[in-house]
Amino acid sequence: MNDIPQHQIRAVYDEHTIRVYQAYNNEIADAALAAGTFVSPPFSMTRMTWIKPSFLWMMYRAGWGYKDAGQNRILAIDVTREGFEWALAHSCPSHPDPAMSKDDWEKLKANSPVRIQWDPERDLHLQPLPHRAIQIGIGGEAVQRYVGQWIRKITDVTELAHTIHDLVERGRLDQAQAALPMEHAYVR
């Protein structure tokens, strides 16, 4: 039986930071790792960028770093909890409530630099689970804050992703599970 709530943020975090994941190409990843934050260019400050606290959802999205050259590097980004909380407080859903008028939806989006989307969490085989993982899309002012204020540390976890994928492929699920980052329900 699954006792995880349908919508619950689960992440690696401590009293100061929370970890999110993103996947990029070598150019963006190398520049970010060298600078300790994202560098524009090659990183785009004008596009919405999606951060994901769930390691396995990131693996699903990037195919363990093997999906394509644009997502071959998996980065773990430790951001301030204050920044993460700011993002949540300045967000709106990625899709309108069916009862909402088009004008109201456009106003909400215009006043919200952050989008929230809940997608099925994934297991080690990247199959959907009954509960959801949060994705947070940051644009506009939020991207400026993310790059300029919130990031505390960037770590390349591509090798970890490949190691866990290899363990899954060889049927060593207990070892794969033990190698996963320890994510816990996020307490605000």
Side-chain angles (χ1 to χ4, degrees):
M1 181 169 164
N2 185 354
D3 58 353
I4 298 174
Q6 179 77 6
H7 294 97
Q8 179 187 66
I9 299 171
R10 290 170 304 284
V12 172
Y13 69 94
D14 61 26
E15 64 182 286
H16 302 289
T17 62
I18 181 168
R19 179 165 294 166
V20 296
Y21 299 94
Q22 294 189 278
Y24 286 107
N25 62 35
N26 289 331
E27 184 182 18
I28 293 173
D30 287 341
L33 288 162
T37 191
F38 291 97
V39 178
S40 178
F43 178 83
S44 174
M45 297 293 288
T46 57
R47 287 185 65 214
M48 183 161 282
T49 190
W50 290 84
I51 58 176
K52 302 145 188 82
S54 167
F55 181 83
L56 284 174
W57 207 96
M58 184 72 260
M59 295 309 100
Y60 167 73
R61 180 70 178 87
W64 298 98
Y66 296 117
K67 184 176 180 181
D68 60 57
Q71 299 182 72
N72 66 319
R73 298 281 289 285
I74 312 297
L75 301 179
I77 302 103
D78 294 337
V79 298
T80 65
R81 286 183 60 165
E82 292 83 4
F84 187 79
E85 291 292 334
W86 186 96
L88 295 178
H90 292 83
S91 70
C92 72
S94 60
H95 302 289
D97 182 296
M100 186 175 274
S101 74
K102 184 177 180 185
D103 285 346
D104 286 345
W105 172 240
E106 292 303 321
K107 285 177 193 169
L108 180 62
K109 284 195 311 182
N111 291 316
S112 304
V114 179
R115 303 285 179 276
I116 299 293
Q117 185 167 308
W118 292 92
D119 295 301
E121 179 62 278
R122 300 294 163 154
D123 65 14
L124 282 169
H125 295 289
L126 305 183
Q127 295 303 304
L129 292 169
H131 55 277
R132 303 265 167 171
I134 194 171
Q135 287 192 76
I136 303 164
I138 53 178
E141 178 186 358
V143 173
Q144 300 292 331
R145 289 172 178 261
Y146 177 61
V147 170
Q149 299 171 20
W150 301 347
I151 295 174
R152 290 296 174 257
K153 180 179 174 186
I154 300 178
T155 308
D156 188 332
V157 294
T158 308
E159 186 175 320
L160 174 64
H162 291 173
T163 297
I164 296 171
H165 176 256
D166 183 57
L167 290 168
V168 171
E169 290 293 300
R170 292 187 292 146
R172 297 184 174 180
L173 299 184
D174 288 344
Q175 288 176 293
Q177 187 70 40
L180 288 173
M182 293 296 296
E183 296 173 357
H184 303 281
Y186 181 67
V187 178
R188 296 166 116 174

